[in-house]
């Protein structure tokens, strides 16, 4: 497939989550966005402080915003809107807007399309540096949708490139990468273990990228520079598995993934009416054990179905690699039998 192809974007639900057709067919279901999935481990303390400072500056500079806050102090939704307006008034998003524009211009460069005739000098310098830094890379795909069915994650890596005969996931970053590199490594690690996804047919295709290394295109907005940086995807994947456990603790399986902070199941599980210290509840212990057993059985049945839905032996092996903790000898036997059947079909 030509790198010049513009791939259709994901269809999304009302919360902007990609809607993905399951491997065994049926109605599309929402997957988590890759950026949202890896964000669960991010330390947002300094970012939230920065946003608060921007909001304060925006309100201080605008009399109309101060008046609106006083007039709508009991309207939560209106106050949320005013906070966004105040943050924008302080030009908090200007760097992000410029970075997004620079990102889009690199797409034109790699597609061989004409650039706008008048661009700021620093942008021209950045694009020149980008061309020099990426001269030895062959672009295979630009923003091709991908899915990782085992974790129900969907996303769009900026590039799939070839360098010295091997393919890599590459991602463009226009801000600082020093403090967010773990999150970047997680994001690229997910993409490296994902499959190319055809939005129209729901077909999954291996992309053949390295799962050990990825490439960051670092182009700080306004700096007029660009450089390539290797990033460790094995370390990134270890953090992705931690994120998987965090998501498991945050979401309630009994009510289709609702956040546990607003779930009555969690309240019933973690509390009891106050009174004399109760004796250990055998009923609760048995119920909990039965629940755990059922969850394990459900997971095994799900993996069994996913094995049988795999179209290639590589897909089966990837399924095993992403679910090694839950894998059993029974699933290994099912996988071996299915791989043999694929060989017979091919012959």
């Amino acid at each position: 497939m030509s790198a010049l192809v513009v791939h259709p974007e994901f269809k999304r639900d009302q919360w902007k989550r990609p809607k993905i057709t399951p491997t065994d067919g049926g109605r599309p279901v929402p997957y988590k966005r890759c950026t949202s999935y890896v964000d669960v481990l991010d330390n947002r303390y300094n970012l939230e402080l920065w946003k608060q400072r921007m909001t304060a500056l925006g309100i201080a500079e605008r009399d109309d915003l101060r008046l609106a806050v006083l007039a709508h102090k009991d309207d939560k939704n209106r106050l949320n809107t005013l906070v966004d307006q105040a943050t924008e008034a302080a030009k908090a998003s200007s760097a992000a807007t410029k970075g997004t524009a620079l990102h889009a211009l690199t797409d034109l460069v790699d597609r061989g399309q004409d650039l706008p005739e008048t661009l700021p000098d620093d942008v021209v310098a950045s694009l020149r540096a980008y061309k020099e830094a990426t001269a030895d890379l062959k672009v295979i795909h630009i923003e091709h949708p991908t899915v990782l069915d085992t974790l129900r994650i969907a996303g769009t890596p900026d590039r799939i490139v070839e360098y010295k005969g091997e393919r890599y996931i590459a991602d463009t970053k226009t801000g600082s990468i020093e403090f967010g590199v773990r999150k970047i490594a997680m994001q690229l690690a997910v993409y490296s273990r994902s499959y190319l996804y055809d939005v129209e047919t729901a077909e999954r295709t291996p992309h053949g990228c390295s799962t050990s290394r990825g490439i960051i295109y670092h182009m700080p907005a306004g700096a007029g520079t660009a450089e390539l940086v290797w990033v460790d995807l094995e370390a990134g994947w270890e953090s992705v598995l931690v994120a998987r456990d965090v998501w498991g603790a945050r979401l309630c399986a009994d009510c289709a993934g609702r956040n546990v902070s607003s779930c009555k199941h969690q309240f019933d599980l973690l509390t009891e009416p106050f009174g004399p210290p109760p004796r250990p509840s055998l009923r609760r212990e048995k119920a909990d054990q039965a629940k755990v057993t059922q969850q394990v059985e459900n997971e095994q049945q799900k993996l069994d179905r996913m094995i049988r839905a795999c179209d290639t032996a590589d897909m089966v092996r990837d399924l095993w690699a992403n679910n090694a903790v839950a894998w059993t000898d029974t699933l290994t036997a099912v996988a071996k039998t299915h791989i043999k059947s694929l060989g017979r079909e091919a012959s």
Side-chain angles (χ1 to χ4, degrees):
M1 186 178 293
S2 171
L4 300 179
V5 170
V6 177
H7 303 284
E9 296 183 358
F10 289 115
K11 297 176 176 65
R12 298 180 184 272
D13 66 8
Q14 64 269 39
W15 293 287
K16 307 299 183 183
R17 297 176 301 183
K19 295 175 68 175
I20 306 299
T21 300
T23 54
D24 55 356
R27 297 179 59 183
V29 297
Y31 275 26
K32 285 186 175 63
R33 290 177 292 174
C34 184
T35 50
S36 299
Y37 195 94
V38 302
D39 194 48
V40 74
L41 296 188
D42 202 19
N43 184 345
R44 301 178 63 84
Y45 178 74
N46 288 321
L47 175 62
E48 295 302 327
L49 288 179
W50 174 79
K51 286 185 175 181
Q52 291 174 32
R53 292 195 298 272
M54 293 300 102
T55 301
L57 289 173
I59 292 176
E61 293 173 1
R62 293 265 301 268
D63 291 339
D64 61 319
L65 290 177
R66 290 200 301 276
L67 179 61
V69 168
L70 292 173
H72 300 283
K73 62 182 181 180
D74 296 322
D75 186 338
K76 179 175 64 176
N77 292 329
R78 181 59 179 159
L79 285 174
N80 288 339
T81 300
L82 292 170
V83 166
D84 290 339
Q85 292 177 0
T87 304
E88 183 62 29
K91 295 182 171 51
S93 67
S94 60
T97 301
K98 190 168 187 177
T100 300
L102 187 59
H103 194 290
L105 290 171
T106 64
D107 289 354
L108 296 180
V109 170
D110 285 339
R111 294 187 191 281
Q113 298 175 342
D114 293 334
L115 293 168
E117 293 184 2
T118 56
L119 291 171
D121 291 343
D122 63 299
V123 173
V124 172
S126 291
L127 295 177
R128 185 184 303 114
Y130 175 82
K131 291 180 181 179
E132 294 174 356
T134 61
D136 293 333
L137 306 182
K138 177 183 177 182
V139 178
I140 306 299
H141 292 293
I142 298 176
E143 297 184 345
H144 195 304
T146 65
V147 295
L148 182 58
D149 294 299
T150 50
L151 296 182
R152 295 180 62 151
I153 303 174
T156 308
D158 291 338
R159 302 286 186 275
I160 291 177
V161 300
E162 186 174 291
Y163 176 65
K164 295 187 180 298
E166 187 166 2
R167 290 189 177 187
Y168 300 94
I169 298 291
D171 210 51
T172 302
K173 300 299 180 184
T174 57
S176 172
I177 62 174
E178 292 185 10
F179 298 105
V181 69
R182 175 70 61 172
K183 182 177 175 180
I184 298 171
M186 292 170 67
Q187 186 177 2
L188 270 62
V190 169
Y191 290 145
S192 74
R193 289 160 173 79
S194 299
Y195 286 85
L196 300 178
Y197 180 77
D198 189 311
V199 172
E200 303 298 333
T201 67
E203 180 182 4
R204 279 99 163 141
T205 308
H207 52 52
C209 289
S210 168
T211 57
S212 300
R213 285 177 173 235
I215 303 172
I216 300 173
Y217 293 172
H218 189 209
M219 300 177 61
T225 62
E227 65 172 343
L228 304 185
V229 180
W230 286 115
V231 60
D232 184 344
L233 302 191
E234 292 179 353
W237 184 246
E238 291 176 0
S239 294
V240 171
L241 296 181
V242 175
R244 177 194 62 183
D245 294 339
V246 173
W247 278 110
R250 287 180 58 178
L251 302 179
C252 177
D254 290 330
C255 50
R258 183 183 300 167
N259 196 300
V260 297
S261 63
S262 59
C263 171
K264 190 175 185 302
H265 292 107
Q266 299 299 309
F267 182 82
D268 292 341
L269 179 65
L270 299 175
T271 67
E272 291 182 359
F274 187 77
R279 294 178 59 187
S281 172
L282 294 179
R283 177 189 60 79
R284 174 66 65 83
E285 290 179 6
K286 290 179 180 179
D288 288 348
Q289 184 58 46
K291 183 176 179 180
V292 170
T293 301
Q294 186 61 52
Q295 288 175 341
V296 171
E297 291 177 357
N298 291 343
E299 181 69 15
Q300 296 298 302
Q301 293 171 5
K302 177 182 175 183
L303 288 172
D304 186 290
R305 292 194 300 271
M306 294 178 73
I307 291 171
R308 298 175 193 277
C310 289
D311 295 327
T312 66
D314 284 339
M315 289 180 72
V316 177
R317 295 187 185 99
D318 285 347
L319 186 63
W320 166 80
N322 293 332
N323 294 274
V325 174
W327 206 265
T328 64
D329 292 341
T330 300
L331 291 175
T332 297
V334 173
K336 289 181 177 179
T337 301
H338 184 64
I339 290 175
K340 288 182 180 178
S341 71
L342 292 174
R344 289 194 295 270
E345 291 175 5
S347 63

